[in-house]
Amino acid sequence: MKRYAKWYALALSVVIVIPLLSACNANNASNATQNAASGQASPAAADEKPAKKTYKWFVGRDVNGAPAVTVKEIAEEYSKTHPEFQLVIEGTGDRPSYLQKLRTLIASNEMPDMFDTDSDAYAAQLVERGKLVDTKQLLQDLGKSNDFRPIALQYQQFADGSMYTLPLEFGIEVFWYNMKMFKDLGITPPTTFDEFMKIADTLKTHNITPIAVDGKDKWPVLRYLALKPFRMTGNDFIENVKQGKASFTDPAGMEAINFVHDLGSKGYFQQGFASTDYTAARDLFLAGKTAIYYMGSWETMSFANDKISPEMKDNIGYFLMPTLDGAKTAPNDYFINSGIGLAFNKDTFDDNMKGFVKYLLDKYPEAYTKKGQFSPFKYSLAKMDGMPDIFYKIQDEIAKSGTVFAVPWDTRLDPATNEMLGNELNALGMGAMDPKDFAHEMDEAIKENAPKYFK
Amino acid sequence: MEKILRDRKAILVFLFPALVVYLFTVLAPILWSMYYSFFSWDGISPMKYIGFDNYVRMLTHDKTFWKAFENNMVYVAIIVFMQVCLGLLVAMLLTTIHKGRELFKTLYFTPAIITSVAISQLFQSIFSFEPIGILNYVLQKFGLEVWTRPWLTDLKWALTAVSVPEGWRFIGLYMIILFTALISIPSDVEEAAHIDGASSWNLFFHIKFPMIKPVLMVTIIMATTGALKGFDIPYLLTNGGPGRATELLPTYMYKTAFSRLDYGYGSAMAVFIVIESLLAVAFIRKMMDEKS
């Protein structure tokens, strides 16, 4: 009995830790099956038609969102006339888990044919290893370079001006606010950060949660950390600090850290914000439970009258990123971006795929804009009729926007520091960390991780 | 047939395939992780041999690692308490009833067959603060409003909140195991004790407990090693947050390897978890042996 128990216990303990250790292998296995599915069609079929080839797009955005749906529709249309081309779309939950899965696929040599990535330090590594298609060259070959808004392309570029992704989205980021709440308390939208904090305080004292934020995806909170440095230094602070050339204890860094610390510890973010996800945060605002919600113009249609509750009708306004004394950037410079980019695997990029990309770029601007979206193309939006008022307001705002745009933390930092910053920032916002300690910890992280990525 | 089974060689032949499977699925990944743990590798660049650097970094100056280790110990304590103690309690209660026993057994066992994702969703809504979840709602109704809080993002309570679902989930499983052990105690032993005037407390401590001890030990080992590899529910509920409040070693290992792209360092942690589990088993066995 005793001997059995010993072996049983040992075997059991070992068996139990296996799933952890084999996580990497398990991923390999699942990729193998996916690859089998995306391989060539059976030889029998090849006799009659040109070989049907399946390409996979691993999507880092909402699979049911406008960009993914538009591409999918265009791909289906294309397959009708080009039966040799077939696009399958695969998505996954939130952004952090998408990135984990993508990077595991790539580490095990299973890079998807198409996938979404920011032009971050990780993508730069892929470029260095010659794994991505040069999209700047691709656009030139296809004669499409001038079809895009310049900022849409600039956002996709690396610091040296090279480009390996294509934009599918375009948007400005604004603070949406509940006009009635503001009016009732006699508040006008803020233009400076001091006013912003005062307003948040007024709302809080009237028992209104000032701001709804999605803490689960990390990037929305990271935006708050980027606001003040952008006003104080333009993009210099982020670009320098990511390589350890500046410190988080510099004025721009401390201002940023204290800002998030204040917002969180004074209860200006909704309680439990760290576990609120994207839609839950938006719904808090739309249900009239918070007064302010920072988000990109890609959400504009969610605020249109036919989508929202009667109480919220004609009740949603927006204001731009506040500014401060001695700001280096103009009030109409703020976060403008063309979203996560679309990258192509160099090894599997063939003429078949190139044909599709050309077709996609021809059809996308119209199809996408018709879904009530702002496109990265210079597509004439004036033709669009019957859109809600708020759409036109944002459209005008985009026309007035400046030429300098803020870059986000998560597209600039190395992956290790980024992972840490996202986690610790939520802790800072919850008052679990002292701003000074936070700054030192981040400096340490950069010192350790950055040299591997920025040489 | 009888003859074949008496032949030791034949038995070895039959055991061989299982051994091969075991070596491939169990030993190979462990050795593989050990191999990786001596490298610095981000998944794209060539691997770089760095000797024991990953281990030195892990054991000497990674605060998060030790925080995760500490959290993991709390997690183990809560889970072992829930699964073994509550499982035993329920099993003992079950032995006292006869009518409807099967129904209770089935009901209590149900959570064990539900997937982690569903359990996480369930507890996400139970702990929810906005919109208000069942737990906070009940607290509110009982006038305990001061106790309502966003459980999963409260720095003090988040770790407990992510431990409870995992503990609750397998109470039924351990209940079944312990129940089987309890009813296998010969009834004449119990009767004899009764006649000798043993109180039910004495009956449990001096008669039942020693008799189910081997099974109890197995359940404690199972619960402990199960909790040491705790991953799915904490990962799904809080992803280690807020900050590092619910980070466990396995979640930290996973993130290190797959988010921070430090496969070598992640592997070093995996090796640590294996050693830690083996030590835990040895420790529990020693404790239980000493008591007898």
Side-chain angles (χ1 to χ4, degrees), chain B residues 219-238:
Chain B
T219 55
I220 292 177
I221 289 173
M222 279 169 71
T224 309
T225 46
L228 283 174
K229 59 133 204 178
F231 177 81
D232 43 6
I233 290 179
Y235 187 79
L236 289 164
L237 278 178
T238 58

Side-chain angles (χ1 to χ4, degrees), chain A residues 8 12 14 16-18 21 100 103-104 107 122 125 129 271-272 275 284 289 419 423-424 427 430 432 448, chain B residues 25-26 42-45 57 129-130 153 155 218 222 229 235 242-244 254-255 258-259 261 263 270 277:
Chain A
Y8 180 49
L12 200 72
V14 172
I16 269 164
V17 291
I18 292 320
L21 301 164
Q100 275 165 7
R103 287 159 184 183
T104 314
Y122 179 76
Q125 287 276 64
R129 312 264 153 218
Q271 217 177 339
S275 67
L284 278 178
K289 290 190 170 154
E419 205 270 330
N423 257 319
E424 303 290 324
M430 297 181 63
E448 187 176 327
Chain B
T25 56
V26 177
D42 63 7
I44 320 173
S45 323
R57 174 173 157 205
F129 183 75
E130 178 68 67
T153 46
L155 288 163
V218 170
M222 279 169 71
K229 59 133 204 178
Y235 187 79
R244 298 289 185 191
Y254 181 80
K255 284 189 200 167
F258 302 107
S259 288
L261 298 178
Y263 292 94
S277 298

Side-chain angles (χ1 to χ4, degrees), chain A residues 144-163:
Chain A
K144 293 279 181 195
S145 305
N146 292 324
D147 289 7
F148 286 89
R149 296 172 196 263
I151 286 190
L153 290 186
Q154 277 165 34
Y155 179 79
Q156 301 292 331
Q157 289 167 2
F158 289 105
D160 65 0
S162 62
M163 189 174 82

Side-chain angles (χ1 to χ4, degrees), chain B residues 247-264:
Chain B
E247 199 80 272
L248 305 179
L249 282 182
T251 57
Y252 185 49
M253 174 203 82
Y254 181 80
K255 284 189 200 167
T256 305
F258 302 107
S259 288
R260 292 173 52 182
L261 298 178
D262 210 337
Y263 292 94

Side-chain angles (χ1 to χ4, degrees), chain A residues 163-175:
Chain A
M163 189 174 82
Y164 291 83
T165 51
L166 288 182
L168 291 179
E169 305 168 33
F170 186 79
I172 58 173
E173 290 176 14
V174 298
F175 288 90

Side-chain angles (χ1 to χ4, degrees), chain B residues 187-209:
Chain B
S187 56
D188 46 347
V189 178
E190 256 178 78
E191 275 161 29
H194 265 301
I195 291 163
D196 289 344
S199 67
S200 46
W201 187 249
N202 277 333
L203 183 71
F204 175 72
F205 257 99
H206 297 291
I207 310 285
K208 286 186 184 171
F209 184 75

Side-chain angles (χ1 to χ4, degrees), chain B residues 20-31:
Chain B
V20 171
V21 171
Y22 175 83
L23 286 178
F24 264 97
T25 56
V26 177
L27 225 54
I30 293 181
L31 293 176

